[in-house]
Amino acid sequence: MLIGFVLLVSACGHDACDALPVSERIYPTKMACEQMADRIHKVRPNVVLLCGEVHR
């Protein structure tokens, strides 16, 4: 069961490595997660952020 989305940061850019959570917050929709990623990109434009699904 999908419960939301979490914002992840990739330590090695777009290469194949594990992404780490930015915080413990779970966003109810992918759009809400992507909006937060956009806000962070304004301050840190070089960081690679992803929205990942959270399942129960």
Side-chain angles (χ1 to χ4, degrees):
M1 166 187 265
L2 179 68
I3 62 171
F5 295 85
V6 66
L7 188 59
L8 305 167
V9 63
S10 178
C12 46
H14 293 285
D15 293 339
C17 71
D18 292 335
L20 304 170
V22 173
S23 71
E24 294 180 6
R25 182 168 182 176
I26 296 174
Y27 298 94
T29 64
K30 188 169 184 176
M31 179 180 265
C33 181
E34 290 172 346
Q35 287 175 342
M36 181 54 71
D38 290 340
R39 292 173 65 189
I40 293 172
H41 273 278
K42 290 178 182 175
V43 178
R44 304 256 188 238
N46 295 326
V47 70
V48 177
L49 298 170
L50 313 161
C51 290
E53 293 181 349
V54 178
H55 296 273
R56 185 176 304 250

